[in-house]
Amino acid sequence: MAKYEIMLVVDGSLDKKTAESNISDLVKLIEKEKNYKVTDLGNKDLAYKINGQTKGWYFIYNFETEVTSIIAEFRRLVLLNRSALRHLIINLEKEYGYKATINEKKIKFSQIKAKKYEEKQKAMKAEWESREKAQAEFANITKGSNNE
């Protein structure tokens, strides 16, 4: 069963009840799913204007489902809904989500990658120090030849 998170931004010029009623057909699709939870983040300023709007109602929906057609239908309905300014659907089971933190193969790969990065950083630091030492020696040599 896949875990999903959907963030939905609804037109902020509407009052809360109107905004919720405008997206009620979207919510009906997913509210029957397992572990359904909604988080209302309230009316917030948008980072930039979307369709001329500067505010938006933010809602986050978390749920689990095996039926991927629900996600496709949700996406279709969101695109038809004029009140929905933006939406983001994340499958938390994919490699960038929840499953990546419990997958032994991915953990091992990231540890190897981190070790290589540290080795590269050490090599770069050693090279930098040797260059600084060479520059200091060169400066001492040129200083000595200028004094003569």
Side-chain angles (χ1 to χ4, degrees), residues 16 20 38-44 57-61:
K16 187 172 182 177
E20 288 176 339
V38 62
T39 307
D40 181 2
L41 299 177
N43 196 353
K44 296 185 172 196
W57 292 97
Y58 283 71
F59 299 98
I60 298 177
Y61 302 98

Side-chain angles (χ1 to χ4, degrees), residues 20-74:
E20 288 176 339
S21 68
N22 284 354
I23 60 168
S24 63
D25 56 335
L26 303 170
V27 175
K28 285 179 188 175
L29 272 176
I30 57 176
E31 69 186 356
K32 302 174 268 201
E33 297 304 317
K34 192 173 186 181
N35 294 332
Y36 171 78
K37 182 181 134 191
V38 62
T39 307
D40 181 2
L41 299 177
N43 196 353
K44 296 185 172 196
D45 290 332
L46 301 173
Y48 54 90
K49 283 187 178 183
I50 302 174
N51 297 341
Q53 300 298 320
T54 57
K55 289 190 170 274
W57 292 97
Y58 283 71
F59 299 98
I60 298 177
Y61 302 98
N62 294 81
F63 60 96
E64 293 180 29
T65 187
E66 291 178 346
V67 185
T68 57
S69 62
I70 290 174
I71 302 301
E73 181 64 12
F74 184 89

Side-chain angles (χ1 to χ4, degrees), residues 10 60 70 72-73 76 91 117 119 126:
V10 182
I60 298 177
I70 290 174
E73 181 64 12
R76 186 185 75 79
N91 182 345
Y117 176 77
E119 290 171 357

Side-chain angles (χ1 to χ4, degrees), residues 1-140:
M1 191 162 290
K3 294 180 182 182
Y4 286 94
E5 179 175 281
I6 297 176
M7 177 174 256
L8 186 62
V9 181
V10 182
D11 187 350
S13 64
L14 304 172
D15 62 277
K16 187 172 182 177
K17 286 187 179 184
T18 309
E20 288 176 339
S21 68
N22 284 354
I23 60 168
S24 63
D25 56 335
L26 303 170
V27 175
K28 285 179 188 175
L29 272 176
I30 57 176
E31 69 186 356
K32 302 174 268 201
E33 297 304 317
K34 192 173 186 181
N35 294 332
Y36 171 78
K37 182 181 134 191
V38 62
T39 307
D40 181 2
L41 299 177
N43 196 353
K44 296 185 172 196
D45 290 332
L46 301 173
Y48 54 90
K49 283 187 178 183
I50 302 174
N51 297 341
Q53 300 298 320
T54 57
K55 289 190 170 274
W57 292 97
Y58 283 71
F59 299 98
I60 298 177
Y61 302 98
N62 294 81
F63 60 96
E64 293 180 29
T65 187
E66 291 178 346
V67 185
T68 57
S69 62
I70 290 174
I71 302 301
E73 181 64 12
F74 184 89
R75 184 174 283 128
R76 186 185 75 79
L77 290 175
V78 163
L79 293 173
L80 293 173
N81 191 322
R82 291 189 180 266
S83 299
L85 300 177
R86 288 285 188 270
H87 72 284
L88 176 66
I89 302 171
I90 299 174
N91 182 345
L92 297 174
E93 297 274 321
K94 294 288 184 185
E95 63 184 52
Y96 47 80
Y98 166 76
K99 204 167 191 176
T101 61
I102 60 172
N103 185 331
E104 287 183 37
K105 189 175 180 182
K106 290 189 184 298
I107 292 170
K108 190 174 182 180
F109 177 74
S110 66
Q111 288 171 342
I112 292 169
K113 201 171 180 181
K115 188 176 179 182
K116 285 181 182 179
Y117 176 77
E118 287 175 14
E119 290 171 357
K120 193 173 185 178
Q121 289 294 94
K122 284 180 185 177
M124 288 175 64
K125 185 177 180 183
E127 184 180 336
W128 182 257
E129 288 172 354
S130 68
R131 284 185 181 182
E132 285 181 335
K133 186 177 177 183
Q135 285 177 346
E137 288 176 7
F138 180 74
N140 287 337

